[in-house]
Amino acid sequence: MNADVNALTERVIGCVYAVSNGLGAGFLESVYENALALELAAAGICFQRQKSLRVYYAGEVVGQFAVDLLVEDCVLVELKAVRALLPEHQAQLINYLKAARLSVGLLVNFGTPKAQIKRMVHQL
């Protein structure tokens, strides 16, 4: 893993905690996405919201999905606002990383008093 990606994920995590401390738990995922977008922009971090990506199977496009945030074209951020992160949330992020051909993702849950963050790595 390259040091730049590690430093970037640490900066994103700092933004996540700022949002969590500012809003607390109890809002819809979209509220946290909006707030995190403001924090990332204020931190000078480039990102895209609801970035549409294609899913390939056997070399053919079989669908598409939208990632919550794609940060600096190298870190995928999947947001949740649930009681607890479940194995299926982690599987979703891994599948998104595979489809996006990216190696690092952050699974973020704002549904608890302190944000839960799981940094996941997929070997390309």
Side-chain angles (χ1 to χ4, degrees), residues 1 102-103 121-124:
M1 193 59 43
L102 295 172
S103 59
V121 176
H122 167 68
Q123 299 301 321
L124 296 176

Side-chain angles (χ1 to χ4, degrees), residues 3-122:
D4 291 341
V5 173
N6 288 336
L8 178 60
T9 59
E10 288 301 317
R11 291 179 63 207
V12 173
I13 289 169
C15 292
V16 166
Y17 283 130
V19 170
S20 179
N21 292 337
L23 290 177
F27 294 102
L28 294 174
E29 183 182 305
S30 60
V31 171
Y32 297 108
E33 183 180 327
N34 292 338
L36 186 54
L38 290 174
E39 283 292 331
L40 292 170
I45 299 171
C46 296
F47 64 94
Q48 296 174 67
R49 294 174 67 177
Q50 297 300 316
K51 171 78 173 164
S52 182
L53 298 173
R54 292 184 179 114
V55 179
Y56 293 87
Y57 178 79
E60 298 291 327
V61 175
V62 294
Q64 62 184 33
F65 65 101
V67 297
D68 291 330
L69 296 164
L70 179 58
V71 178
E72 307 234 344
D73 291 323
C74 65
V75 177
L76 196 150
V77 180
E78 179 62 23
L79 303 176
K80 301 293 179 195
V82 295
R83 279 192 183 179
L85 291 174
L86 301 173
E88 51 261 43
H89 297 136
Q90 294 178 41
Q92 178 187 28
L93 180 57
I94 290 295
N95 285 334
Y96 283 6
L97 288 171
K98 287 179 192 175
R101 296 182 179 100
L102 295 172
S103 59
V104 179
L106 295 173
L107 179 59
V108 177
N109 181 24
F110 286 106
T112 56
K114 181 180 176 186
Q116 296 174 306
I117 303 168
K118 179 132 180 86
R119 184 177 185 274
M120 301 184 72
V121 176
H122 167 68

